[in-house]
Amino acid sequence: NTSMCWEINVKDYVCTHDIEGCAGCWGSFQEMPASTFAQARAAEINAMLKAVTQKSSNSLVFQTLPRHMRRRAMSHNIKRLPRRLREIARKEAEKAVHQKKEHSKNKCRKARRRHVNLVVEFNRRQKKNIWLETHIWHAKRFHMVKKWGYCLGDRPTTKSYRACYRAMTKHCLLQDLSYYCCLELNGKEEELLKVLARMCSIDTGPTFAAVPCLSGRLQGSLVLYRADRYPEDVLGPITFIWKPKDGSGIPYETRQLWIWTHPSLKQDILTELKAVFQCSEPVETCSPEPIVTLLQEEKQTDVAMSVSKKRKREDHEGEKAVPVKKIIGDGTRVPLQSYCWTSQTTGVVISDLTMEILRYRLIGPLSHCVLTEALKTASVQTEMADAETELNNWWVENCKNSEKVSLHQRQEAIFELLQGISSPSEIAAGTILGLTVGDPRVNLPKKRSKAMPNPEKYQGRDLHRSWSCAQWKPLSNHTDDPDNEKVRQLLLEGVPVECAHSFIWDQTICKNVTENKIPEQDLNHMRGELLVPGSQLDLGPRESKIPILLVQQPGKVAGEDRPGWGSGWDIYLPKGWGMAFWIPFVYRGARVGGLQEGLKHSEYKRTPHVPNDFPDCPAGIQFAKELENILLEKFKRRPPAKRANYVKLGTLAPFLCPWGQLTKDWEVRNKTQEESVVTSSADSKSCATESQVPCDLKPGLMIEDSQGDMMEEMTKIQNLCKEDGAATSSGFFVLRSRKLLKQLSAWCRPTCGKGQRARPASKLGQKEMTEDALLPIFKCYPQVLVWVSLSLLRKGSPELHAMICIPTQEDYLQLNKDQLFCGPQEPKHSDIFKHKILKLKERKKNNRKALESGASDALEAKAVEEPKELILGLWPDPLPDVTSHCSRILLGFVTQGDFSLAAGCGEALGFVNLTGLLHMLSSQPADKKGLVLLRTPASLQYRFARLNIEV
Amino acid sequence: MVRFKHRYLLCEIVSEDPRCRQCIDERAVGAAAKEAVARTHGDYGLACCSISFTVKYLNAYTGIVLLRCRKDFYRLLWSALPFITYLENRNQRYSCFFNTLHVGGTIRTCQKFLVQYNRKQLLLLLHNCTSEEERQSIQKSLLSCCLKEVEEEQSQSGDEEDDCAETD
C-alpha cells in the first residue's frame, strides 16, 4: 500500500523533528527560520516523489499504459514499450522467466514419440510407484494419489459423490483392490494352525481354525497380533482363504493359505510371520518369476543402451528388442530380491504374491448381475487348438477327467443360479465360489448398458433392488418353480465345499494363462475380419480359459438398521487379465469408485477402515502422523488472522488424536475417583439398584452362566496382564474381545423408556452394571479404547477429530425440558500463548537488527533461547490434562465423520476410552444411557449424539 | 469497472502563530472541517460531507493537509473551508485559515501537484532570502531533494539511509 508507505515516512520525519522543535525554536515564540522551512519542504518533496514514482498496483508495466499506447507483443518485446518504462519491464520479464518451469527438450518430438522411447519412458514412470493394471484407465478419469508405494485413484474427477452412493445401494460400484497384498503360506495344516493360533485370539472372533473357513468354504477375517502378545501389539486386520482340500482322506496333507492384507500392514505382518515360522533363508527355486523379470530387465537395459546410442539399429535384432510394457505385475520388484522363504524346522513356505493376483471388488445389490452378465463359464474342451502352443493345455488336461468336468458343471450351475438371488447379502458371509470362465472380451456389448436381473427367468421372486425392502422375505411365498427351488436350496445350504475349488491356486496354471493371453490388438484384428461386421466373435478352441475366484463380501453385519448394506463380491484374477475384465464390468453399468468411495463404504457400513481406524497398530500410527503433517501444512498456509484459533476454541489437538494421553489421563482420573468412591460407597449402591433387574427366572440363570464365563475370562486376562504388566502400563490398545464388547453394547442402550428395547437387552443374558462387575474391567483394562459409532440426534455433521464428551446433569435436564435443544456451548477460552508469540516475534526482530549491526553472539543467544516454535492458534506440545480441559469431560475422538447419506443424519465413528465410558454409563439416568456430546474442532457448539457399540 | 469517485482537497494551513503547528493533527483538522461544514450547510451538508470523509495526509511541519470527500459533495466542503478560523487541540486554540491549493481526483495527482508546488516555494524562498547563511542552507536542501530524484531511479533501497542522514 503506497499511501501508507509515504505517510509513514513523513510521519517519522515529523516525529524526529518535533522533539528538536520543541526544544528549539518552537518553544520560544520566535519566527521560524527559513532554513527549517526549506528543510521541511525538501523532505516533503522527497516523500511525495517516492510515492509518485513507485508502482502502485501489482499489474505488469505494460498493463498500466493507457489503451492508445498499447502495442501488440508488448509482453515479451520490451522495445515496444515507451522508453521510460523499459527498465522496469526488463526486470519484470526476467522474473517471469525464472518462474517458468524449464521444459526439457533434448529430443525432438518425433524421437520422443517413437514407440521404443515411449515404452522406455512408460516403464520409467512406473518405477517409483507401482501402477495397477488399470492405471491408464484410472489416470484418465481419477485424481491419482501416490500412497503405500502405489499410484491409486483417489476419487473420480467428475461430480459423483452421490452417484457412487446410489450405485452402492441400488446397483453396483466397482473398485480395483489389486494393491492389496497376498501372502501365501504352504505347509502342513497342523503346523500352520499351531503357529498361527499364537498370532490371533479366540476372543476376537473366529480364528484360522474355524471349521467353515478351514474347509475352504468361507473366507475368514480377523485381526492379527504379534505372537503371544494379545491383546496388545496389533499387527492389523486381514482376510484369509484356505485352499479347499482336494484329496479326501489324507489327514496330514499340505495346505495352502492366502492371507490378504493392506499394503501398509504388509511389511509388519510379513516380518512377524517370518519370525514366528523361523524362516530366514530365501528360496529361489520355488517361484519362477524372478527369472522372467530378469530377462525383461536385461532386455530393457539392452534397449536403453541402444537408445543411448541415438541410432536406430538396422538389423532385425533391434526390432525384436522392443521392451515389454511393464504393466503386468509388480514391475518394480528387484529381480534378485527374494519373496519366498522356507522354514527349516516346520517346512512351511511363505511366499509374497503381491501383484500376482488381481482383486476387484463389486459392491451393491446387483453386483452378481454384473458378474453373471459379464462372465460366461468356459466351455468344456477336449482337443488342443494348436499343438505347438501351450494355450489351454491345462484345461484340456482337466477336461479329460470326467469328475472334474462334472465339478465344473456344478460350479457353472451355481453361478447361473446367482441371477436368482436379489442381493449378495442373502448368501452366507464370505462364501467362496471357484470358476473357470471364457474370455470376457469376446461378448463385450457394443454400448454401455446397465445389467438388470432377469425378471422372466425367476418370476416368483420380488426383484427389489434396494436393500431396504428386499430383506428377509419369507421363503414360503416362492412359487414351486424348480429353479426357485434350487435358489432356495442355495440360500439355505450355501455353496458346497467342492465348488470352492479353483485353478487360480495353481501358480503354473496362472502363469500359463497370463502368458497365453491373446493381445487386444489381435482380437480386434479378428473382429475386423468377421464376415458380418459386428457379429459375435467365436474363437472356438483358441478362446482362453481363465480360472477365477468369487468371494462374497459381507455387508453390514452389526447393528440393527440396514442389515446387509454394502455387500458384494470380490473377484480374484490371475495377473495380466486386469483390463480384459475391467472393461466388461464397466460396460455392464458398474460405476467405478476410488479410495474415497472405499472410505465412505466402510463409514456407512460402520466398520473400521484400514489403516485410519487402527490407532494401535504401527501402520495406523504412521498414517496418523502423515495426516497430522498434511493438516498442519494446510493450516499454516492460511494467514494467522484467517484461521481458526484452536486455543480459543479449547481444542487441544485438532490434527492428531492424543490416544496415549487420553487413556493415561483417564487412568489417573479413575484412581483418584476410586479413592473417593471407597469413602462414599453408599452412592454407588443406590446407583446399582437403579439399573434394571430382570424379572424372569430363565434369563437369570443365563445371566449366571454368562457371569461365570465373564469371570473366567477376567481371571484369564488378569493373569495375562500380570505376565507383562510393564507393557500394559506403557501403551494403550483397542478392545476387540467380542464378549466384553457385547456386554458394553447392552449397557449402552437405554434400559427404560422404550419398553420393547428393554426386553432384548435383558434376554441377551447380560449382567447388570454393578460396582463388582465394573471393578475387574477397570483393573484389567486400564488403558483401552473402544470402537463406537455415533449418530446425531438432531442437527450437525461431525468432522474428523471431533471430540466426544460426557454431558452434565444440566444438559440432560435441558434436553428433557426443551425437545429442540441443540446442545450446550463451550465457553470461549483465552489464548494464553498469543502474548508469548508476540514477544518472541519482537525479540526476533531485535535480534535481526542486532545481527545487521554485526553482533554475531546475538544469533547464538537466539538459537539457545528458542528451542521450539510456537504457532498462533495451536497448543504447544506438552498438552495439559486432555480430559478436563473443556467444560465437558472428554471421552474420545471421532476418526470418521460425515453426513451419512445412508442414515440421513450426521454419523460418526471413533474411539472412546473404556474407563471413561463405564463411568459415564454408570452415572447416566436409565433413559438417557448412551447419550454423549459431540463437538467439532473448529466450533464451540456441542451436539447430542447417541453412542452405540455394534458387535 | 465501477468505483466510488472521490475528490481530494490539498490545503495549506496558514497561521501567524508558530505554536499552531503543534496542534495540527488528524482529529483536530477533521473536527474543524466538519464543524465548519455544519455551520455553513447545516445537518444535511454535514451528513453529505461525512460520507467517506477522511484526512488522508497531514504534514505538521509544512501545514499541508489532504482531505478526501465524495465527488458529489466536495463543493460543500470546499465552500466551507474558508470559514475555518481556528484549530483547537488539547484545550488550546490557535487562529489560522485554510488555503486550498489543489482539487484532484486521485491522491497521485495531488502528490504530483505538491511536488511542483513545493519546488516553487523553495525557489521563491531562495529569491527572497536575506542573509548568506540562509541562502546556503536553502540551496543545500534544494539540492538534496533534486539529487534524490536521480538517486531514486538508480536504487530504491538507498532512500531510507539518505532520509536518516538528512534528518540528523
Side-chain angles (χ1 to χ4, degrees), chain B residues 1-167:
Chain B
M1 299 298 274
V2 182
R3 65 179 170 104
F4 285 120
K5 297 209 170 168
H6 292 115
R7 281 289 173 267
Y8 295 88
L9 303 176
L10 189 68
C11 310
E12 189 181 28
I13 301 170
V14 184
S15 172
E16 292 295 310
D17 195 346
R19 283 174 303 172
C20 178
R21 282 196 197 85
Q22 283 167 303
C23 71
I24 296 177
D25 74 343
E26 262 177 50
R27 208 171 340 134
V29 172
K34 278 191 176 175
E35 194 258 348
V37 171
R39 213 154 12 100
T40 49
H41 300 293
D43 284 349
Y44 170 74
L46 178 62
C48 289
C49 280
S50 31
I51 306 170
S52 83
F53 171 83
T54 46
V55 180
K56 271 311 238 189
Y57 166 71
L58 177 139
N59 190 340
Y61 244 103
T62 52
I64 298 289
V65 173
L66 188 63
L67 304 175
R68 187 180 75 178
C69 182
R70 278 283 157 83
K71 188 189 164 190
D72 304 330
F73 309 111
Y74 80 98
R75 273 166 230 278
L76 296 179
L77 180 64
W78 198 1
S79 56
L81 283 180
F83 293 95
I84 301 174
T85 52
Y86 61 88
L87 275 178
E88 193 172 356
N89 198 6
R90 296 187 209 109
N91 297 325
Q92 282 172 317
R93 193 179 272 209
Y94 300 101
S95 62
C96 66
F97 65 89
F98 275 59
N99 183 16
T100 310
L101 303 173
H102 179 77
V103 180
T106 57
I107 296 179
R108 213 173 157 81
T109 56
C110 291
Q111 286 169 338
K112 282 177 181 167
F113 176 82
L114 194 57
V115 172
Q116 298 301 323
Y117 175 77
N118 277 341
R119 266 197 203 136
K120 257 183 231 161
Q121 291 283 305
L122 280 179
L123 286 178
L124 244 155
L125 213 63
L126 199 64
H127 274 296
N128 300 346
C129 64
T130 47
S131 66
E132 189 58 30
E133 198 184 331
E134 244 180 50
R135 175 185 292 273
Q136 268 179 2
S137 72
I138 291 166
Q139 260 176 346
K140 200 176 138 195
S141 55
L142 195 59
L143 273 175
S144 81
C145 77
C146 290
L147 279 176
K148 197 66 64 59
E149 223 172 319
V150 184
E151 274 170 30
E152 239 165 283
E153 277 167 21
Q154 285 168 350
S155 68
Q156 293 202 325
S157 58
D159 280 6
E160 289 158 20
E161 289 168 16
D162 285 358
D163 259 348
C164 296
E166 197 207 330
T167 49

Side-chain angles (χ1 to χ4, degrees), chain A residues 81-143:
Chain A
L81 281 160
R83 205 170 279 163
R84 68 188 164 88
L85 296 176
R86 277 184 199 168
E87 194 62 19
I88 311 168
R90 199 175 52 79
K91 270 180 201 162
E92 272 173 8
E94 269 174 17
K95 219 183 269 171
V97 165
H98 280 298
Q99 279 168 359
K100 242 183 221 168
K101 218 173 156 187
E102 260 188 51
H103 186 66
S104 74
K105 269 192 178 175
N106 48 1
K107 283 178 203 156
C108 66
R109 188 186 146 76
K110 203 177 168 191
R112 270 183 283 135
R113 301 299 297 176
R114 204 170 285 145
H115 184 247
V116 179
N117 294 345
L118 267 185
V119 174
V120 167
E121 183 69 3
F122 188 78
N123 288 342
R124 186 192 59 79
R125 272 155 61 205
Q126 51 180 314
K127 217 164 232 170
K128 213 170 207 175
N129 291 290
I130 305 170
W131 285 3
L132 305 184
E133 286 188 23
T134 54
H135 176 86
I136 301 290
W137 191 94
H138 272 101
K140 286 173 183 168
R141 295 162 181 84
F142 277 67
H143 294 287

